[in-house]
Amino acid sequence: MCSATDMAVLAGGNAEVCFSKYGSYPVRGKYRHEMALRILLACMESHAIRHKRYIVPVISVHMDFYIRVFVRIFTSASTVKSSPLKFSHVYQCVGCNSFHLQNVGRINSKDKRNIPLPNFCPTVPQECSECGGKFVMGGPIWSDPIHDRDWATSILSNIRATSGLYEAYAKISAILTSVSEELPNAPLFVSLHSICATLKCTNPTMVMFHSAIRNAGYQISGSHADPLALKTDAPMSVIWDIMRCWVKLHPVKSQPENLPGSRILSQEPQLQASFSQATGGLVARKSPRFLPNPEKHWGPKMKAGRPLKILPIDKL
């Protein structure tokens, strides 16, 4: 078990400090808390492989104001050679916040030994194909699954059977429920509110957006790190095409042509989205995924041992 409380560093507030401590550059996107988890896992893996060991995450969570990961550690000199396949660089557009991942390593299909090789040049162009903005690079981060969904589901069923033994049952149940529903092979996530803010359009409901993704042939889920998160295996081009179709049904006001949203909407969608109710979509939630704060003005407190500085009344 490993915990990290320096979220200002891991979330991108001090990128140079994060690189010096964890060996990765953070990107300040809506997914910054999940990226913090993946930076921590990448740091642990990079230290483990120096000793012919590798990690397998059991559960990785962001809660309250810190992150905590649980991993199993195994020893295998041959398996550590595949570690480059677990790391990826993140390319995020500075205009529309579209992001793309590229693995550090690749497998040569012509080599039967399956030995990882350095990957080719970046898959992203110099400018974003959606809005024409530049890309900023972050990482490397852990891009393999960060949870063991089978383990989370089994533990969740066990604690539900003995819920009276846990004082913090509601919180444990909420986290494990969210974790058990996450897509395992969808690193990072998008925020529907952020996408709509870029286009300056009204928000489709979560059910409608989930249905549009599923009707396009892709998977989608939420995330325990953010109640507004949308984890999906659909590429960013599909997501923007869905929003272009949505704007055609719900037009927006005219806006300057040099804005990222205007450039995105100036392109015709290659995919005709369907917002009809899809099977296997969102269902009525019988248990909460996110709990309210336990008290008013709840948050990080002052560092221990630091006395309060009280000013005289005449100087207030």
Side-chain angles (χ1 to χ4, degrees), residues 11 43 48-49 70 78 104 124 153 158-159 175 192 219 224 226 236 241 251 293 306-307:
C43 180
I49 59 179
F70 299 80
S78 59
V104 173
V124 296
T153 303
N158 289 340
I159 67 168
I175 293 176
L192 184 58
Q219 294 180 307
H224 79 281
D226 191 333
M236 292 302 303
D241 276 350
N293 292 337
R306 182 180 296 178

Side-chain angles (χ1 to χ4, degrees), residues 114-189:
N114 291 331
I115 297 178
L117 301 174
N119 213 338
F120 294 115
C121 59
T123 55
V124 296
Q126 290 291 326
E127 295 182 350
C128 177
S129 58
E130 305 295 339
C131 71
K134 298 291 185 181
F135 284 101
V136 61
M137 186 179 71
I141 65 171
W142 177 273
S143 54
D144 256 20
I146 61 175
H147 310 299
D148 185 340
R149 293 180 66 181
D150 294 336
W151 181 89
T153 303
S154 64
I155 294 298
L156 182 60
S157 61
N158 289 340
I159 67 168
R160 283 176 177 172
T162 57
S163 58
L165 301 178
Y166 301 95
E167 293 185 3
Y169 168 76
K171 185 173 185 178
I172 298 173
S173 175
I175 293 176
L176 288 177
T177 301
S178 297
V179 165
S180 63
E181 296 174 348
E182 286 187 21
L183 286 180
N185 296 316
L188 308 181
F189 56 81

Side-chain angles (χ1 to χ4, degrees), residues 34 42 77 122 144 172 177 180 204 229 276 290 297 316:
E34 182 180 334
D144 256 20
I172 298 173
T177 301
S180 63
S276 59
F290 298 90
H297 306 302
L316 293 178

